[in-house]
Amino acid sequence: MLASENFPAHHFKESIFKPYSTGGDDLAAATAAVATTSSSPDTVSVDFETARKMLTANGCSSNNNNNNNNATDTQPQDGLSGFVASHPAAQFEGFIRACVDEIIKLAVFQGTNRSSKVVEWHEPAELRQLFDFQLREKGESQEKLRELLRETVRFSVKTGHPYFINQLYSGVDPYALVGQWLTDALNPSVYTYEVAPLFTLMEEQVLAEMRRIVGFPNGGQGDGIFCPGGSIANGYAISCARYRYAPESKKNGLFNAKPLIIFTSEDAHYSVEKLAMFMGFGSEHVRKIATNEVGKMRLSDLEDQVKLCLDNNWQPLMVSATAGTTVLGAFDDLAGISELCKKYNMWMHVDAAWGGGALMSKKYRHLLNGIERADSVTWNPHKLLAASQQCSTFLTRHQQVLAQCHSTNATYLFQKDKFYDTSYDTGDKHIQCGRRADVFKFWFMWKAKGSQGLEAHVEKVFRMAEFFTAKVRERPGFELVLESPECTNISFWYVPPSLRQMERNRDFYDRLHKVAPKVKEAMIKNGSMMITYQPLRQLPNFFRLVLQNSCLEESDMVYFLNEIESLGQNL
């Protein structure tokens, strides 16, 4: 039986609470009720006669209500070619179920099976011929839409596939997937308690627990938000630091102010520089600190740069440290950086978007020693913890700074005379207005697995990374970029037999630089796996294996090496 068959037919005039009146009596009654109510200091005075005229002028009369009465009865029964209200009427249940079944079959299970391709590759011109991108005057049939659904899965990269090891996200967590589907069905926006009561409290709970795990004082005191990606979370850090040290900038901006300088590693995520440019600092006010041989920020260079700024009468604003750099997976010396921030009165931010998941493991959380001293932290559960995209958080030890920094008190949304505690209307501390309930998928998978399950997940992927590293060390033709990687990204070269006897000179490195792109091209066209590559400063292109999918086994690690060797041995 379809779910829609269990519900009685219902038209919008037939309220489940009381009959809907199309006359003017309801407005008159409301007018009288409000007129006799004493106003609080925060109550906005309303001229009801003016309101009545505005409603009439805008066509909100009883005749208009009557004309729209049977809108839901005129929906087409045999397709989607006519007008369709944005409402899940009963005749669409079969279509919805069929589409969900297709998604489960093709994307969730077939698309993540090791026997399937990671991607069916086509060049842009060819893909335009194969897929119907065109938008038309008339809508398509349900069968055509189901065909487009299947084709969308077919031509998309299967990022949940075990052999997608290309980015800092992968996998399809079943609990997070269900959580994401539910939030899409409910379609909430988390800015006021009245429209998202459960998700507001859920965010409060999850963020508090994450702050406790970070180690902020008094059991995780502070504040935080879910935000659209780690880049924006890093931007929040810059914004809060600016307000903390230059509160007048909220009103006056950066005009005629002392230059504020941001310090970050030369291997830090590019978002620090991008958000600084976006916020008006300018790229020249982002000082990139040299790293050592394993990718960690050099504290001596950091202090030298800070002193140089002071000598020029510039304000050292903040240090954005990194816990798990994008390429090498390096963890900066957070304890040492915190001492310098204290010495020179700078905000300390830790971009732990990638490496933050290690905090869940008693075995590996030492990699982030000192993070508890930070003013703020970026932590993305959609990365190392494998929640669905996107799931990013900004955490701070300072309880009021987000609200103080970003609030504008828009009275059409954040009224102070609501009937509930408006401190739960959290939206004014965000730079967004509408905001997805990204918390639910993470909360749901955390409830399902418990902290112990998340810890087991983290330790499994670290164990696979260590196994892979050992295999690279012992296998001819493979060379590590870092002998002992700290995180679960392992960087390495594959040296084809044709290059192994060459002298390590400029010609050798020029040839080696071309190997990874050629191997990557072959694996993409085969659909056999996806792994990224990149140069780093003076180093030629190397592969970067990224692990956060805990379904991977030792046999998969061997497969990756075998496939790269098979594709590159004749280069």
Coordinates of all heavy atoms in Angstrom, one line a residue, residues 47-113:
D47 N -1.1 49.6 12.7 CA -2.3 50.3 12.3 C -3.2 49.2 11.5 O -2.9 49.0 10.4 CB -2.0 51.5 11.4 CG -3.3 52.3 11.0 OD1 -4.4 51.7 11.1 OD2 -3.1 53.4 10.7
F48 N -4.2 48.7 12.2 CA -4.9 47.6 11.6 C -5.8 48.0 10.4 O -6.0 47.3 9.4 CB -5.8 46.8 12.6 CG -4.9 45.9 13.4 CD1 -4.5 46.3 14.7 CD2 -4.6 44.7 13.0 CE1 -3.7 45.5 15.4 CE2 -3.8 43.8 13.7 CZ -3.4 44.2 15.0
E49 N -6.3 49.3 10.4 CA -7.1 49.8 9.3 C -6.2 49.8 8.0 O -6.6 49.5 6.9 CB -7.7 51.1 9.6 CG -8.6 51.6 8.5 CD -9.8 50.6 8.3 OE1 -10.2 50.0 9.2 OE2 -10.2 50.5 7.1
T50 N -5.0 50.3 8.2 CA -4.0 50.4 7.1 C -3.7 49.0 6.6 O -3.6 48.7 5.4 CB -2.7 51.1 7.6 OG1 -3.0 52.4 8.0 CG2 -1.7 51.1 6.4
A51 N -3.5 48.1 7.6 CA -3.2 46.7 7.2 C -4.4 46.1 6.4 O -4.1 45.4 5.4 CB -3.0 45.8 8.4
R52 N -5.6 46.4 6.8 CA -6.8 45.8 6.1 C -6.8 46.3 4.6 O -7.1 45.6 3.7 CB -8.1 46.2 6.8 CG -9.3 45.5 6.2 CD -10.6 46.2 6.8 NE -10.7 46.1 8.2 CZ -11.2 45.1 8.8 NH1 -11.7 44.1 8.2 NH2 -11.3 45.1 10.2
K53 N -6.5 47.6 4.5 CA -6.5 48.2 3.1 C -5.4 47.6 2.3 O -5.6 47.3 1.1 CB -6.4 49.7 3.2 CG -7.6 50.4 3.8 CD -7.3 51.9 3.9 CE -8.5 52.6 4.6 NZ -8.3 54.1 4.7
M54 N -4.2 47.4 2.9 CA -3.1 46.8 2.1 C -3.5 45.4 1.7 O -3.2 45.0 0.6 CB -1.9 46.8 3.0 CG -1.3 48.2 3.2 SD 0.1 48.1 4.4 CE 1.3 47.1 3.5
L55 N -4.1 44.6 2.6 CA -4.5 43.2 2.2 C -5.5 43.2 1.0 O -5.4 42.4 0.1 CB -5.1 42.5 3.4 CG -4.1 42.1 4.5 CD1 -4.8 41.7 5.8 CD2 -3.1 41.0 4.0
T56 N -6.5 44.1 1.1 CA -7.5 44.2 0.0 C -6.8 44.6 -1.3 O -7.1 44.1 -2.3 CB -8.6 45.2 0.4 OG1 -9.1 44.8 1.7 CG2 -9.6 45.3 -0.6
A57 N -5.9 45.7 -1.2 CA -5.3 46.2 -2.4 C -4.4 45.1 -3.1 O -4.3 45.1 -4.3 CB -4.5 47.4 -2.1
N58 N -3.8 44.2 -2.3 CA -3.0 43.2 -2.8 C -3.7 41.9 -3.2 O -3.1 40.9 -3.5 CB -1.9 42.8 -1.8 CG -0.8 43.9 -1.7 OD1 -0.4 44.5 -2.7 ND2 -0.4 44.2 -0.4
G59 N -5.0 42.0 -3.2 CA -5.8 40.9 -3.8 C -6.0 39.7 -2.8 O -6.3 38.6 -3.2
C60 N -5.9 40.0 -1.5 CA -6.1 38.9 -0.5 C -7.5 38.9 -0.1 O -7.8 38.9 1.1 CB -5.1 39.1 0.7 SG -3.4 39.0 0.2
S61 N -8.5 38.9 -1.0 CA -9.9 38.9 -0.7 C -10.4 37.5 -0.7 O -9.8 36.6 -1.1 CB -10.6 39.8 -1.7 OG -10.6 39.2 -3.0
S62 N -11.7 37.4 -0.2 CA -12.3 36.1 -0.1 C -12.5 35.5 -1.5 O -12.4 34.3 -1.7 CB -13.6 36.2 0.6 OG -14.5 37.1 0.0
N63 N -12.7 36.4 -2.6 CA -12.9 35.9 -3.9 C -11.7 35.2 -4.4 O -11.7 34.1 -5.0 CB -13.3 37.0 -4.9 CG -14.7 37.5 -4.6 OD1 -15.5 36.8 -4.1 ND2 -14.9 38.8 -5.0
N64 N -10.5 35.8 -4.1 CA -9.3 35.1 -4.6 C -9.1 33.8 -3.9 O -8.6 32.8 -4.5 CB -8.1 36.0 -4.3 CG -8.0 37.2 -5.2 OD1 -8.5 37.1 -6.4 ND2 -7.3 38.3 -4.8
N65 N -9.4 33.7 -2.6 CA -9.3 32.4 -1.9 C -10.2 31.4 -2.5 O -9.8 30.2 -2.7 CB -9.7 32.6 -0.4 CG -8.6 33.3 0.3 OD1 -7.4 33.2 0.0 ND2 -9.0 34.0 1.4
N66 N -11.4 31.8 -2.9 CA -12.3 30.8 -3.5 C -11.8 30.4 -4.9 O -11.9 29.2 -5.2 CB -13.7 31.5 -3.7 CG -14.4 31.6 -2.4 OD1 -14.2 30.9 -1.4 ND2 -15.3 32.7 -2.3
N67 N -11.2 31.3 -5.6 CA -10.7 30.9 -6.9 C -9.6 29.8 -6.9 O -9.4 29.0 -7.8 CB -10.2 32.1 -7.7 CG -11.3 33.1 -8.1 OD1 -12.4 32.7 -8.2 ND2 -10.9 34.3 -8.3
N68 N -8.8 29.8 -5.8 CA -7.7 28.9 -5.7 C -8.1 27.6 -5.0 O -7.2 26.8 -4.7 CB -6.5 29.6 -4.9 CG -5.9 30.7 -5.8 OD1 -5.9 30.6 -7.0 ND2 -5.4 31.7 -5.1
N69 N -9.3 27.5 -4.6 CA -9.8 26.4 -3.7 C -9.4 25.1 -4.2 O -9.0 24.2 -3.4 CB -11.3 26.6 -3.5 CG -11.7 26.1 -2.2 OD1 -10.9 25.9 -1.3 ND2 -13.0 25.9 -2.0
N70 N -9.5 24.8 -5.5 CA -9.4 23.4 -6.0 C -8.1 23.3 -6.8 O -8.0 22.4 -7.7 CB -10.6 23.1 -6.8 CG -11.9 23.0 -6.0 OD1 -11.9 22.5 -4.9 ND2 -12.9 23.6 -6.6
A71 N -7.1 24.0 -6.4 CA -5.8 24.0 -7.2 C -5.2 22.6 -7.2 O -4.7 22.1 -8.3 CB -4.8 25.0 -6.7
T72 N -5.3 21.9 -6.1 CA -4.7 20.6 -6.0 C -5.5 19.5 -6.8 O -5.0 18.4 -7.0 CB -4.5 20.1 -4.6 OG1 -5.8 20.2 -3.9 CG2 -3.6 21.0 -3.8
D73 N -6.7 19.9 -7.2 CA -7.5 18.9 -7.9 C -7.3 18.9 -9.4 O -7.8 18.1 -10.2 CB -9.0 19.2 -7.7 CG -9.4 19.0 -6.2 OD1 -8.7 18.2 -5.6 OD2 -10.4 19.6 -5.8
T74 N -6.5 19.9 -9.9 CA -6.3 20.0 -11.4 C -4.9 19.5 -11.8 O -4.5 19.9 -12.9 CB -6.4 21.5 -11.8 OG1 -5.5 22.3 -11.1 CG2 -7.8 22.0 -11.4
Q75 N -4.2 18.7 -11.0 CA -2.9 18.3 -11.4 C -3.0 17.2 -12.4 O -3.9 16.4 -12.4 CB -2.2 17.7 -10.1 CG -2.1 18.6 -9.0 CD -1.4 19.9 -9.4 OE1 -0.5 19.9 -10.1 NE2 -2.0 21.0 -8.9
P76 N -2.1 17.2 -13.4 CA -2.1 16.1 -14.4 C -1.8 14.8 -13.8 O -1.0 14.6 -12.9 CB -1.0 16.5 -15.4 CG -0.1 17.4 -14.5 CD -1.0 18.1 -13.6
Q77 N -2.5 13.7 -14.3 CA -2.4 12.4 -13.8 C -1.5 11.6 -14.6 O -1.0 10.5 -14.1 CB -3.8 11.7 -13.7 CG -4.8 12.5 -12.9 CD -4.5 12.5 -11.4 OE1 -4.0 11.5 -10.9 NE2 -4.7 13.6 -10.8
D78 N -1.1 12.0 -15.8 CA -0.4 11.1 -16.7 C 1.0 11.6 -17.0 O 1.6 11.2 -18.0 CB -1.2 10.9 -18.0 CG -1.5 12.2 -18.6 OD1 -1.2 13.3 -18.0 OD2 -2.0 12.2 -19.8
G79 N 1.6 12.5 -16.2 CA 2.9 13.0 -16.5 C 3.1 14.3 -15.8 O 2.3 14.7 -15.0
L80 N 4.3 14.9 -16.2 CA 4.6 16.2 -15.5 C 4.7 17.3 -16.5 O 5.4 18.3 -16.3 CB 6.0 16.0 -14.9 CG 6.1 14.9 -13.8 CD1 7.5 14.9 -13.3 CD2 5.2 15.2 -12.7
S81 N 3.9 17.2 -17.6 CA 4.0 18.2 -18.7 C 3.2 19.5 -18.4 O 3.5 20.5 -19.0 CB 3.5 17.6 -20.0 OG 2.1 17.2 -19.8
G82 N 2.2 19.4 -17.5 CA 1.5 20.6 -17.1 C 2.0 21.3 -15.9 O 3.0 21.0 -15.4
F83 N 1.1 22.2 -15.4 CA 1.5 22.9 -14.1 C 1.4 21.8 -13.0 O 0.5 21.0 -12.9 CB 0.5 24.0 -13.8 CG 0.6 24.5 -12.4 CD1 1.6 25.3 -12.0 CD2 -0.4 24.1 -11.5 CE1 1.7 25.8 -10.7 CE2 -0.3 24.6 -10.2 CZ 0.8 25.4 -9.8
V84 N 2.5 21.9 -12.2 CA 2.6 21.0 -11.0 C 2.9 21.8 -9.8 O 4.0 22.5 -9.8 CB 3.6 19.9 -11.2 CG1 3.7 19.0 -10.0 CG2 3.3 19.0 -12.5
A85 N 2.1 21.8 -8.8 CA 2.4 22.5 -7.6 C 3.5 21.9 -6.9 O 3.7 20.7 -7.0 CB 1.1 22.5 -6.7
S86 N 4.3 22.7 -6.2 CA 5.5 22.2 -5.5 C 5.0 21.5 -4.1 O 5.2 22.1 -3.1 CB 6.5 23.3 -5.2 OG 7.0 23.8 -6.4
H87 N 4.3 20.4 -4.3 CA 3.8 19.7 -3.2 C 3.7 18.2 -3.5 O 3.3 17.9 -4.6 CB 2.4 20.3 -2.8 CG 1.7 19.7 -1.6 ND1 2.1 20.0 -0.4 CD2 0.8 18.7 -1.5 CE1 1.4 19.3 0.5 NE2 0.6 18.5 -0.1
P88 N 4.0 17.3 -2.6 CA 4.0 15.9 -2.9 C 2.6 15.3 -2.9 O 2.2 14.6 -2.0 CB 4.8 15.3 -1.8 CG 4.7 16.2 -0.6 CD 4.5 17.6 -1.2
A89 N 1.8 15.6 -3.9 CA 0.4 15.1 -4.0 C 0.5 13.6 -4.2 O 1.5 13.0 -4.6 CB -0.3 15.8 -5.2
A90 N -0.6 12.9 -3.9 CA -0.7 11.5 -3.9 C -0.2 10.8 -5.1 O 0.5 9.8 -5.1 CB -2.1 11.0 -3.5
Q91 N -0.5 11.4 -6.3 CA -0.2 10.8 -7.6 C 1.3 10.7 -7.8 O 1.8 10.1 -8.8 CB -0.9 11.5 -8.7 CG -0.5 12.9 -9.0 CD -1.5 13.9 -8.3 OE1 -2.0 13.6 -7.3 NE2 -1.7 15.0 -9.0
F92 N 2.1 11.4 -7.0 CA 3.5 11.4 -7.3 C 4.3 10.4 -6.4 O 5.5 10.3 -6.5 CB 4.1 12.8 -7.0 CG 3.6 13.8 -8.0 CD1 2.7 14.8 -7.6 CD2 3.9 13.7 -9.3 CE1 2.2 15.8 -8.5 CE2 3.4 14.6 -10.3 CZ 2.6 15.7 -9.8
E93 N 3.6 9.7 -5.5 CA 4.3 8.8 -4.6 C 5.0 7.7 -5.3 O 6.1 7.4 -5.0 CB 3.3 8.2 -3.5 CG 4.1 7.3 -2.6 CD 3.2 6.8 -1.4 OE1 2.1 7.2 -1.3 OE2 3.7 5.9 -0.7
G94 N 4.3 7.1 -6.3 CA 4.9 6.1 -7.1 C 6.2 6.6 -7.8 O 7.2 5.9 -7.8
F95 N 6.1 7.8 -8.3 CA 7.3 8.4 -9.0 C 8.4 8.6 -8.0 O 9.6 8.2 -8.3 CB 6.9 9.7 -9.6 CG 8.1 10.5 -10.2 CD1 8.7 10.0 -11.3 CD2 8.5 11.7 -9.6 CE1 9.8 10.8 -11.8 CE2 9.5 12.4 -10.1 CZ 10.2 11.9 -11.2
I96 N 8.1 9.1 -6.8 CA 9.2 9.3 -5.8 C 9.8 8.0 -5.4 O 11.0 7.9 -5.3 CB 8.6 10.1 -4.6 CG1 8.1 11.5 -5.0 CG2 9.6 10.1 -3.5 CD1 7.3 12.2 -3.9
R97 N 9.0 7.0 -5.1 CA 9.5 5.7 -4.7 C 10.4 5.1 -5.8 O 11.4 4.5 -5.5 CB 8.4 4.8 -4.3 CG 7.7 5.1 -3.0 CD 6.6 4.1 -2.6 NE 6.0 4.4 -1.3 CZ 6.6 4.0 -0.2 NH1 7.7 3.3 -0.1 NH2 5.9 4.3 1.0
A98 N 9.9 5.2 -7.0 CA 10.7 4.6 -8.2 C 12.0 5.3 -8.3 O 13.1 4.7 -8.5 CB 9.9 4.8 -9.5
C99 N 12.1 6.6 -8.1 CA 13.3 7.4 -8.2 C 14.3 7.0 -7.0 O 15.5 6.8 -7.2 CB 13.1 8.9 -8.2 SG 12.3 9.5 -9.7
V100 N 13.7 6.9 -5.8 CA 14.5 6.5 -4.7 C 15.1 5.1 -4.9 O 16.3 4.8 -4.6 CB 13.7 6.6 -3.4 CG1 14.5 6.0 -2.2 CG2 13.4 8.1 -3.1
D101 N 14.3 4.2 -5.4 CA 14.8 2.9 -5.7 C 15.9 2.9 -6.7 O 16.9 2.1 -6.5 CB 13.6 2.0 -6.2 CG 12.6 1.6 -5.1 OD1 13.0 1.7 -3.9 OD2 11.5 1.1 -5.5
E102 N 15.8 3.7 -7.7 CA 16.9 3.8 -8.7 C 18.1 4.3 -8.0 O 19.2 3.9 -8.3 CB 16.4 4.8 -9.8 CG 15.3 4.3 -10.6 CD 15.7 3.4 -11.8 OE1 16.7 2.8 -11.8 OE2 14.9 3.3 -12.8
I103 N 18.0 5.4 -7.2 CA 19.2 5.9 -6.5 C 19.8 4.9 -5.6 O 21.1 4.7 -5.6 CB 18.8 7.2 -5.7 CG1 18.3 8.3 -6.6 CG2 19.9 7.6 -4.8 CD1 17.6 9.4 -5.9
I104 N 19.0 4.2 -4.9 CA 19.6 3.1 -4.0 C 20.3 2.1 -4.8 O 21.4 1.6 -4.4 CB 18.5 2.5 -3.1 CG1 18.0 3.6 -2.1 CG2 19.0 1.3 -2.3 CD1 16.7 3.1 -1.3
K105 N 19.7 1.6 -5.8 CA 20.3 0.5 -6.7 C 21.5 1.0 -7.4 O 22.6 0.3 -7.3 CB 19.2 0.1 -7.7 CG 19.7 -1.0 -8.6 CD 18.7 -1.3 -9.7 CE 19.3 -2.3 -10.8 NZ 18.2 -2.6 -11.8
L106 N 21.4 2.1 -8.1 CA 22.5 2.5 -9.0 C 23.6 3.3 -8.3 O 24.8 3.1 -8.6 CB 21.9 3.3 -10.1 CG 20.9 2.6 -11.0 CD1 20.4 3.6 -12.1 CD2 21.5 1.4 -11.7
A107 N 23.3 4.2 -7.4 CA 24.3 5.1 -6.8 C 24.8 4.5 -5.5 O 26.0 4.5 -5.3 CB 23.7 6.5 -6.6
V108 N 23.9 4.1 -4.7 CA 24.3 3.6 -3.3 C 25.0 2.3 -3.4 O 26.1 2.1 -2.7 CB 23.1 3.6 -2.4 CG1 23.5 3.1 -1.0 CG2 22.5 5.0 -2.2
F109 N 24.5 1.3 -4.1 CA 25.1 0.0 -4.1 C 25.9 -0.4 -5.3 O 27.1 -0.7 -5.2 CB 24.0 -1.1 -3.9 CG 23.4 -1.1 -2.5 CD1 22.2 -0.5 -2.2 CD2 24.2 -1.6 -1.4 CE1 21.7 -0.4 -0.8 CE2 23.7 -1.6 -0.1 CZ 22.5 -1.0 0.2
Q110 N 25.3 -0.3 -6.5 CA 26.1 -0.6 -7.7 C 27.3 0.4 -7.9 O 28.4 0.0 -8.2 CB 25.2 -0.5 -8.9 CG 25.9 -0.9 -10.2 CD 25.0 -0.9 -11.4 OE1 23.9 -1.5 -11.3 NE2 25.3 -0.3 -12.5
G111 N 27.0 1.6 -7.6 CA 28.1 2.6 -7.8 C 29.2 2.6 -6.8 O 30.3 3.2 -7.0
T112 N 29.0 1.8 -5.7 CA 30.1 1.7 -4.7 C 30.7 0.3 -4.7 O 31.4 -0.1 -3.8 CB 29.5 2.0 -3.3 OG1 28.5 1.1 -2.9 CG2 29.0 3.5 -3.3
N113 N 30.3 -0.5 -5.6 CA 30.8 -1.9 -5.7 C 32.1 -1.9 -6.4 O 32.4 -1.3 -7.4 CB 29.8 -2.8 -6.5 CG 30.1 -4.3 -6.4 OD1 31.1 -4.7 -6.9 ND2 29.2 -5.0 -5.7

